[in-house]
Amino acid sequence: MPEKIIELKKVNKIYGENTPNPTQVLFDLDLSFEERSFNSIIGQSGSGKSTLLNILGTLDRATSGDVLIDRINTEDMSEKERSSLRNERLGFIFQFHYLLPEFTAIENVLMPYRISKKPITKDVLARADELLEIVGLTKVRNNLAINMSGGQQQRVAIARALINNPKIILADEPTGNLDSDTTEQVYDLLRTINETYHTTFIIITHDRHIAEKADRIIEILDGKINLDIDNRMRT
Ligand SMILES: Nc1ncnc2c1ncn2[C@@H]1O[C@H](COP(=O)(O)OP(=O)(O)OP(=O)(O)O)[C@@H](O)[C@H]1O
Ligand SMILES: [Mg+2]
């Protein structure tokens, strides 16, 4: 049996708990993801997908329930411990990639190092170049982000998410902003990374075509799991 790399146990999320209008968004979610797997999450707008992903990534806290990452219960951790766990094991890709426009591709990929004030050694630089190679951007390595196409910028953001060699990548509509050809390319790239580095992927997408290529499709409806399909069994 493959290891469970992320596990949610009885997770509830209520926004505005101590206000006159509390809203419960997630209901008693039990959900786990296998190491190395490639998963997609679909569901209507407002169903709770981003809330779920933020809790999976320890960017937000569940109101009740447990979140285990690599079998470590994050509920027992301090904010500082959670943030170092996040830096070590998780990578994030969002719809809007938040590159720094006045920095080059390679500088953006190295940004997590700058921010955490870790030294950029030769090995780190070599890894950043290897990642730019994988995402097909070696030629535009020294171009400013502002001068790159949307698809190129998203690929820089993917390389940046990988620089710390995370075991898990969480992506919230990573291709939401791209045309269908570029979407396909970015998806193929994520798959290649999954196969090359055995990175676990959990990807929220509105794109059915992409969702259907994942190993597993989870549909969220009104904060509950409506469908959970093992796609590897389908022919
Ligand atoms: N910070 C917040 N405070 C209060 N309510 C929130 C907050 N964030 C999200 N919500 C509410 O929680 C519900 C789920 O939001 P969420 O962003 O998780 O949906 P989603 O499935 O990602 O939708 P979309 O496909 O539009 O991105 C929505 O009704 C939203 O209005
Ligand atoms: Mg969302």
Side-chain angles (χ1 to χ4, degrees):
M1 271 292 281
E3 294 281 358
K4 290 174 182 172
I5 195 159
I6 299 199
E7 204 173 352
L8 297 186
K9 293 182 181 170
K10 294 254 167 296
V11 162
N12 287 285
K13 178 67 182 178
I14 303 170
Y15 284 114
E17 206 184 3
N18 302 314
T19 66
N21 293 310
T23 337
Q24 182 152 5
V25 176
L26 299 179
F27 297 83
D28 275 335
L29 280 190
D30 283 313
L31 185 61
S32 62
F33 296 91
E34 289 175 7
E35 200 155 19
R36 300 179 170 203
S37 61
F38 197 88
N39 309 278
S40 67
I41 296 179
I42 60 171
Q44 290 172 357
S45 179
S47 56
K49 304 181 297 298
S50 296
T51 303
L52 169 62
L53 202 82
N54 290 341
I55 290 174
L56 286 171
T58 75
L59 294 169
D60 193 8
R61 287 195 100 111
T63 307
S64 64
D66 291 310
V67 180
L68 284 76
I69 296 179
D70 250 353
R71 295 173 292 286
I72 305 167
N73 196 333
T74 62
E75 289 310 306
D76 307 331
M77 291 181 163
S78 68
E79 217 35 69
K80 203 173 162 201
E81 288 169 327
R82 284 154 62 89
S83 124
S84 64
L85 177 96
R86 199 157 52 228
N87 289 336
E88 279 164 25
R89 295 175 213 232
L90 301 173
F92 295 90
I93 307 170
F94 298 101
Q95 177 174 5
F96 301 100
H97 39 69
Y98 307 112
L99 295 186
L100 295 172
E102 300 295 341
F103 285 80
T104 64
I106 186 86
E107 287 169 336
N108 270 287
V109 174
L110 290 166
M111 204 51 72
Y113 271 79
R114 289 203 180 192
I115 290 169
S116 59
K117 301 202 168 65
K118 283 192 269 181
I120 296 167
T121 60
K122 265 192 180 156
D123 285 353
V124 173
L125 194 60
R127 167 139 182 96
D129 271 316
E130 180 195 325
L131 291 170
L132 280 179
E133 173 86 42
I134 287 173
V135 301
L137 294 177
T138 300
K139 277 195 179 148
V140 291
R141 170 188 197 277
N142 297 315
N143 290 20
L144 296 182
I146 199 172
N147 295 331
M148 300 184 135
S149 72
Q152 287 175 331
Q153 293 185 32
Q154 194 56 299
R155 284 183 281 150
V156 174
I158 292 167
R160 182 185 55 187
L162 286 163
I163 189 74
N164 287 331
N165 209 2
K167 290 183 82 171
I168 308 160
I169 296 226
L170 302 173
D172 197 344
E173 298 192 40
T175 55
N177 233 353
L178 305 173
D179 63 53
S180 57
D181 282 355
T182 318
T183 293
E184 194 79 28
Q185 281 173 22
V186 168
Y187 168 79
D188 289 343
L189 179 60
L190 299 180
R191 252 304 184 194
T192 306
I193 292 161
N194 165 247
E195 282 157 12
T196 311
Y197 298 114
H198 307 303
T199 317
T200 305
F201 276 84
I202 304 172
I203 305 172
I204 296 177
T205 180
H206 271 130
D207 196 316
R208 283 218 151 252
H209 177 64
I210 292 252
E212 281 170 4
K213 286 185 170 193
D215 298 331
R216 179 178 174 199
I217 307 170
I218 295 162
E219 187 191 27
I220 305 295
L221 179 68
D222 297 335
K224 295 178 189 139
I225 297 164
N226 189 46
L227 283 174
D228 190 345
I229 303 164
D230 186 343
N231 218 19
R232 290 167 300 190
M233 301 297 163
R234 300 207 312 188
T235 47

